[in-house]
């Protein structure tokens, strides 16, 4: 499975989140070419403090043996925040594929410093989706990343 094919699963989740009135960030966990599960930011939908795309994806998959995480790629439409970066590090996921980091630059440097391979695709749809959302919903976006208006 190519990086673009993996990213397509996360983009589909981001679109789903947007259609539900949430924040358009999606994620997928891929193990040896197989999508184990997907998720999207559902903080609004679930009135949750922690259901970002990556954490929703991990929650949707459920428990896995540590070896599976260590052989997987976390795919996300947007650079992961500190919380999601922590989850990636905690589970030893060795590779992170990011749709875009122009609208938000998260924990990429920390991931790299801990030996995680970080690939940024600069995907136009991911960039446009987040740019539009941030322009239309700045308060909700700031809440999601822990910033004050």
């Amino acid at each position: 499975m190519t990086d673009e094919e993996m990213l397509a699963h996360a983009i589909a989740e981001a679109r789903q989140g947007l259609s539900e009135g949430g924040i358009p960030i999606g994620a997928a966990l891929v193990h040896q070419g197989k999508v184990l599960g997907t998720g999207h930011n559902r903080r609004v939908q679930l009135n949750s403090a922690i259901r970002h795309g990556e954490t929703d994806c991990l929650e949707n998959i459920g428990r896995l043996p540590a070896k599976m995480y260590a052989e997987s790629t976390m795919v996300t439409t947007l650079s992961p925040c500190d919380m999601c970066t922590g989850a990636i590090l905690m589970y030893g996921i060795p590779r992170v594929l990011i749709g875009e980091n122009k609208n938000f630059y998260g924990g990429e440097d920390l991931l790299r410093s801990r030996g995680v391979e970080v690939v940024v695709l600069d995907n136009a749809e991911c960039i446009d989706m987040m740019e539009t959302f941030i322009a239309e919903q700045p308060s909700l976006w700031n809440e999601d990343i822990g910033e004050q208006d």
Side-chain angles (χ1 to χ4, degrees), residues 1-2 5-6 9 28-38 61 64 68 71-75:
M1 182 180 301
T2 68
E5 290 170 333
M6 288 189 280
H9 292 276
L29 189 67
V30 180
H31 178 260
Q32 299 179 346
K34 179 183 176 205
V35 177
L36 297 177
T38 59
I61 293 167
L64 295 174
M68 289 189 76
E71 297 171 345
S72 294
T73 296
M74 175 61 77
V75 184

Side-chain angles (χ1 to χ4, degrees), residues 5-21:
E5 290 170 333
M6 288 189 280
L7 182 61
H9 292 276
I11 290 172
E13 286 289 327
R15 288 186 200 128
Q16 177 67 30
L18 187 61
S19 76
E20 296 169 356

Side-chain angles (χ1 to χ4, degrees), residues 18-59:
L18 187 61
S19 76
E20 296 169 356
I23 299 163
I25 303 169
L29 189 67
V30 180
H31 178 260
Q32 299 179 346
K34 179 183 176 205
V35 177
L36 297 177
T38 59
H40 56 274
N41 187 306
R42 297 195 309 162
R43 290 186 68 247
V44 172
Q45 299 92 315
L46 297 177
N47 195 32
S48 169
I50 62 169
R51 289 302 272 272
H52 281 190
E54 299 89 336
T55 55
D56 187 58
C57 174
L58 292 169
E59 181 67 17

Side-chain angles (χ1 to χ4, degrees), residues 91-102:
Y91 288 107
I93 298 169
R95 184 169 190 263
V96 179
L97 179 63
I98 299 169
E100 71 106 343
N101 64 2
K102 298 197 179 328

